[in-house]
Amino acid sequence: MTTLTVAKTPSVSGPKPLSQNSGIKPSPDVNDTIDIEHVPVNDDPRQWSCARKTITLYIVSLATMLGALASNIQNPSNSLIQEDLHATNSQISWTMASFIIVQGNFPVLWSAVAEITGRKVVYLVSSALFVVATAVLALVKTIDVMIGMRVLQAAGSSAAMAISAATLADIYETHERGTKMGVFFAAPLLGPALGPILGGLLSQGFNWRASFYFLLISGGINFFSFLTLFRDTYRHERSHIYRSALRRRRLASREPVQRLSESTIAVSEFSKDQAHVKDPEKQLHLPVVPEELPAVTSTPGLDDIKLSIKDINPIPPYLRILSRKNNVIILTANGLIFGFNYCLSYTCARTLTDAYGYDALSVGLVLLCQGVGSIAGSIFGGRWSDRVLAKMKKANGGQWYAEMRLESSKLAMLWLPPSVIGFAWMCEKQVNIAGICVMLAIIGFSSIWMYTSTFAYLVDANPGRSGTAVAANSSFRGTIAFVSFVIAVPLQEAFGDGRLFTAWAGVLIVAELLVILVVHKGESWRKEDEENEREILSK
């Protein structure tokens, strides 16, 4: 059995990381710090051409848009489904609620599987599952089968939601992620915006099954895109989860185990590259590598043990994400934002139908205002996030910490609660529809601007675990959205739109305060957790 050989590489000159918000002193064992995102790998996805990266970005974005579209495309035709399948109101509600809860929580499993099989296998299997479930939905004869197939459809669509952000983290450096995340996240926002319109047009022009035939064709195109155009971005050398599973297998077989702190990156090439970069703006974007970092000489011994899906338990990685206070707080804030958006779209559709007498297509056109605002907020917020991060890094001597990105969300926080209150009482007083359209656009813009920054922060703050972090985000988001969806109508009927959304404005203020708390305390919390993890690994 060959072993891993650890060799010292020349030190990299450069400023030390600066911690502005933390009272925690850096660990004295600086060489144990690992920049796992820059471990040398074969066919490094971050070295791919711009065209290859762009193709990857658009494929995964379209996949997430399809999953989001499937969540609400049936809404305009619910009455037709109920009549055709002889269903009750409760059963129709379960076709939607079951989709939301499964799509939110199933990503925990997909993300764990992707850490062993790679991203492409998961994309293909989940896309095939989505196509099969959608084909059955287009032909379904009973409401019970429909509920079951909606569960499978949600499970299939959820994989893209879970690992697409991790895929982008595989191919883009930190300074690019805000912009790319903004473009990426515009796609799943476009789905809910177009869903009611497409569903209304298809159901009125043909019948309610036409919506599922549309999803079936789109799902088939999505599957073949992954099969023929997508190149896997996953590299197990850059995965904490894979390394942990490998360590457990080696311990079980009583083989020599190398601690993670000893499995670090080779920086000789990086040192060479840095020496030739004279432009300070380009130097700003290079990764920070500790001085005299040991490098690993890869040997065949690493590949002697092959891991399988049974080596991955999705629960410990998920709990690892939840063990960090900064993660839990941001996950809660993100969940509240999405819970609000689900409640808003559902109750607004009822108000437009009952109070304004709008048909399905007209309701969809009004809700499109929120979708357009959300897309604009996603793209603008992503670019603004990168701009703020680059400016703060430059002011900090070229060093950065993940919480810098959250600073970009503060401006959006000023707009969100007032616009929600304005929307609440415009609906309550049934003012001209133009005012509601304006409020919906501002709400979509500001809420998703804020969400884009917090979403990118989860990826930045969990290197090597970005897939699990995104899955945890999906779980929180889906669970809170499910609850808000279930209680939306009773609360609307009990309190009316005015008091209901004034209360939601208060909830959103709490979410904003949670984000601000992480801005100021998140770095010190992360350092404490990282130090505890290093102590556990050293035992």
Side-chain angles (χ1 to χ4, degrees), residues 342-386:
Y342 269 94
C343 181
L344 174 67
S345 60
Y346 189 30
T347 56
C348 183
R350 296 182 77 250
T351 297
L352 294 174
T353 300
D354 298 340
Y356 287 81
Y358 283 6
D359 59 19
L361 182 58
S362 298
V363 170
L365 290 172
V366 173
L367 292 178
L368 182 61
C369 296
Q370 182 189 4
V372 171
S374 298
I375 293 168
S378 178
I379 296 173
F380 176 82
R383 292 184 178 275
W384 181 257
S385 172
D386 281 347

Side-chain angles (χ1 to χ4, degrees), residues 281-343:
E281 285 297 315
K282 292 183 179 179
Q283 288 182 346
L284 179 63
H285 300 320
L286 291 174
V288 178
V289 183
E291 292 188 333
E292 299 186 2
L293 190 63
V296 173
T297 304
S298 182
T299 68
L302 183 63
D303 299 323
D304 287 348
I305 298 178
K306 297 296 184 182
L307 300 182
S308 63
I309 294 176
K310 67 181 182 180
D311 293 300
I312 289 293
N313 180 353
I315 302 304
Y318 182 78
L319 295 179
R320 178 71 64 86
I321 296 295
L322 299 186
S323 68
R324 295 190 173 189
K325 294 186 287 292
N326 61 303
N327 286 339
V328 173
I329 291 175
I330 293 298
L331 289 170
T332 302
N334 285 351
L336 292 175
I337 292 172
F338 255 77
F340 159 74
N341 276 287
Y342 269 94
C343 181

Side-chain angles (χ1 to χ4, degrees), residues 73-87 92 95 133-143 145-147 149-150 198-215:
I73 196 172
Q74 80 165 61
N75 288 1
S77 55
N78 279 336
S79 60
L80 300 176
I81 296 172
Q82 185 173 358
E83 180 181 355
D84 190 27
L85 300 183
H86 308 290
I92 292 295
T95 64
T134 304
V136 176
L137 282 167
L139 303 171
V140 71
K141 299 296 183 181
T142 66
I143 190 64
V145 174
M146 185 175 191
I147 294 173
M149 289 302 102
R150 284 287 279 173
L198 285 173
L201 287 173
L202 291 170
S203 61
Q204 289 180 10
F206 301 96
N207 57 47
W208 67 266
R209 298 180 188 274
S211 298
F212 293 106
Y213 280 117
F214 174 82
L215 291 177

Side-chain angles (χ1 to χ4, degrees), residues 22-201:
S22 172
I24 305 296
K25 295 183 179 180
S27 171
D29 191 2
V30 178
N31 294 336
D32 279 351
T33 303
I34 303 163
D35 185 4
I36 196 169
E37 290 195 344
H38 296 91
V39 172
V41 294
N42 292 327
D43 187 25
D44 190 343
R46 297 190 181 181
Q47 303 302 319
W48 287 354
S49 67
C50 182
R52 169 58 61 183
K53 290 182 178 182
T54 301
I55 289 172
T56 302
L57 171 62
Y58 283 129
I59 290 175
V60 299
S61 296
L62 290 174
T64 56
M65 183 181 73
L66 185 60
L69 186 66
S71 68
N72 69 348
I73 196 172
Q74 80 165 61
N75 288 1
S77 55
N78 279 336
S79 60
L80 300 176
I81 296 172
Q82 185 173 358
E83 180 181 355
D84 190 27
L85 300 183
H86 308 290
T88 65
N89 289 329
S90 176
Q91 288 172 321
I92 292 295
S93 296
W94 271 107
T95 64
M96 297 180 288
S98 61
F99 187 98
I100 292 173
I101 192 69
V102 172
Q103 191 183 60
N105 288 279
F106 212 81
V108 175
L109 177 61
W110 286 127
S111 63
V113 174
E115 298 296 334
I116 292 297
T117 64
R119 318 273 192 227
K120 184 168 184 174
V121 172
V122 170
Y123 281 130
L124 289 174
V125 172
S126 62
S127 297
L129 180 61
F130 179 86
V131 168
V132 171
T134 304
V136 176
L137 282 167
L139 303 171
V140 71
K141 299 296 183 181
T142 66
I143 190 64
D144 292 334
V145 174
M146 185 175 191
I147 294 173
M149 289 302 102
R150 284 287 279 173
V151 169
L152 291 181
Q153 188 187 46
S157 67
S158 67
M161 304 285 187
I163 63 177
S164 290
T167 299
L168 299 185
D170 292 339
I171 63 177
Y172 290 113
E173 294 286 358
T174 302
H175 69 276
E176 303 173 288
R177 285 180 192 161
T179 299
K180 302 307 179 183
M181 287 291 183
V183 174
F184 157 73
F185 202 68
L189 293 172
L190 186 61
L194 295 179
I197 297 176
L198 285 173
L201 287 173

